[in-house]
């Protein structure tokens, strides 16, 4: 093979054909679809994390008030009946 033959071969390899353009279009369409799906998943995950943070903040920020022992005793006695 001569240098001229190699130059011709490399020039043909660099030239785009309709098959190359079709393959590139299919790849880009699939890539855009995967990226869109990935963004949707990230948005759903971020929403779930935000909701969990709000619930945690409400639970931690507002502790339960404890009943006095006598109130707990009265509640148990009313539920169990007299003479338990």
């Amino acid at each position: 093979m001569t240098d001229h033959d190699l130059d011709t071969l490399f020039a043909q390899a660099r030239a785009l054909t309709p098959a190359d353009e079709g393959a590139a279009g299919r790849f880009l369409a699939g890539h855009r679809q995967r990226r869109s799906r990935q963004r949707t998943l990230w948005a759903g995950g971020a929403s779930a994390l935000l909701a969990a943070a709000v619930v945690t903040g409400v639970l931690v920020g507002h502790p339960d008030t404890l009943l006095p022992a006598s109130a707990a005793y009265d509640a148990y006695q009313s539920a169990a009946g007299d003479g338990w």
Side-chain angles (χ1 to χ4, degrees), residues 28-54:
L28 288 176
H31 178 69
R32 288 182 185 121
Q33 185 179 18
R34 286 187 299 275
R35 293 285 294 169
S36 174
R37 198 173 320 135
Q38 185 180 26
R39 284 188 194 110
T40 303
L41 287 174
W42 274 105
S47 297
L49 285 175
L50 181 61
V54 168

Side-chain angles (χ1 to χ4, degrees), residues 24-84:
R26 288 189 303 276
F27 171 79
L28 288 176
H31 178 69
R32 288 182 185 121
Q33 185 179 18
R34 286 187 299 275
R35 293 285 294 169
S36 174
R37 198 173 320 135
Q38 185 180 26
R39 284 188 194 110
T40 303
L41 287 174
W42 274 105
S47 297
L49 285 175
L50 181 61
V54 168
V55 169
T56 302
V58 167
L59 292 176
V60 171
H62 188 319
D64 293 335
T65 55
L66 296 176
L67 294 173
S70 61
Y73 175 78
D74 290 339
Y76 183 77
Q77 186 177 11
S78 69
D82 290 334
W84 59 279

